[in-house]
Amino acid sequence: MNGNTQRSTSNGIQTEALANRRNDPVEYVGFRVDGQAVVLNLSEHRRLSPERSLDLVNHSPTGFEWGYTGSGPAQLACGLLLDYYDDTQVAREHYIAFRNNVISQLECDGPAACWHLTGEEIDAAMVTISDDIVALPDGGQPSPTLPENWRTVTHPDRRIFQRADRDHYVVLGEGVDEWLVVLCSQGDRAYPAPLASRTVSEQDGVERAIRDLADESNELIAPPEGEC
């Protein structure tokens, strides 16, 4: 399925995604091994890795979690939707709401000390989702203003740019006498959290402010271990 296909929405979830839901039974199970979270696609006898979902959103490189609304559960929500629907647009737009409504409620209780989530339960939960849609890169086109790892984003009333390798956005809002340019992150919230901002009074200053905030985004990201 093509994750860049534009679709009409109904109840907050793309109707085409539900129309193309998987017909074969799917079941996921989560449990802990030596304290570490493990998630399996039980139907296909394989372990679910965060690697594929990290290409979409980078909340928790250390792995999945569940039972609360945090970074690990956000990564699991994205990973499960991506694995089940095999649709990057559905996963990217709706993982926050899926985390809040489903993943945060999962518990490892009872004698088996694990949780189970079926494909039918995922479909049923997605039908109820109506909010928390995350900004999506507009066709994956690079931004003419920012470095190559930034993309333009579709939004009806303001300019937005999204960093492709991290959960960072630059949002541009036009005021009466000045422009407000904000660097923000979806993070563990249903709505973006501001990280930094610039206020400029002239159009000429806007492009510079956007580039400055992109540079600040780099400074907020710690380099990998072993690098200075």
Side-chain angles (χ1 to χ4, degrees), residues 169-183:
Y169 303 83
V170 171
V171 181
L172 176 62
E174 182 179 3
V176 177
D177 299 316
E178 58 189 11
W179 298 75
L180 177 64
V181 189
V182 182
L183 173 67

Side-chain angles (χ1 to χ4, degrees), residues 20-34:
N20 289 286
R21 71 185 72 181
R22 295 169 63 163
N23 294 321
D24 54 318
V26 177
E27 182 176 6
Y28 298 94
V29 60
F31 52 92
R32 298 188 185 280
V33 176
D34 296 329

Side-chain angles (χ1 to χ4, degrees), residues 6-72:
Q6 296 297 316
R7 307 177 179 88
S8 60
T9 58
S10 176
N11 294 327
I13 176 66
Q14 283 81 358
T15 54
E16 183 177 329
L18 288 182
N20 289 286
R21 71 185 72 181
R22 295 169 63 163
N23 294 321
D24 54 318
V26 177
E27 182 176 6
Y28 298 94
V29 60
F31 52 92
R32 298 188 185 280
V33 176
D34 296 329
Q36 183 177 1
V38 175
V39 180
L40 303 179
N41 183 321
L42 202 59
S43 306
E44 299 180 4
H45 308 289
R46 58 180 173 81
R47 182 168 178 172
L48 194 64
S49 167
E51 295 304 318
R52 187 182 178 196
S53 62
L54 285 168
D55 289 338
L56 290 184
V57 292
N58 192 311
H59 285 289
S60 180
T62 57
F64 296 136
E65 265 300 343
W66 55 77
Y68 62 100
T69 55
S71 298

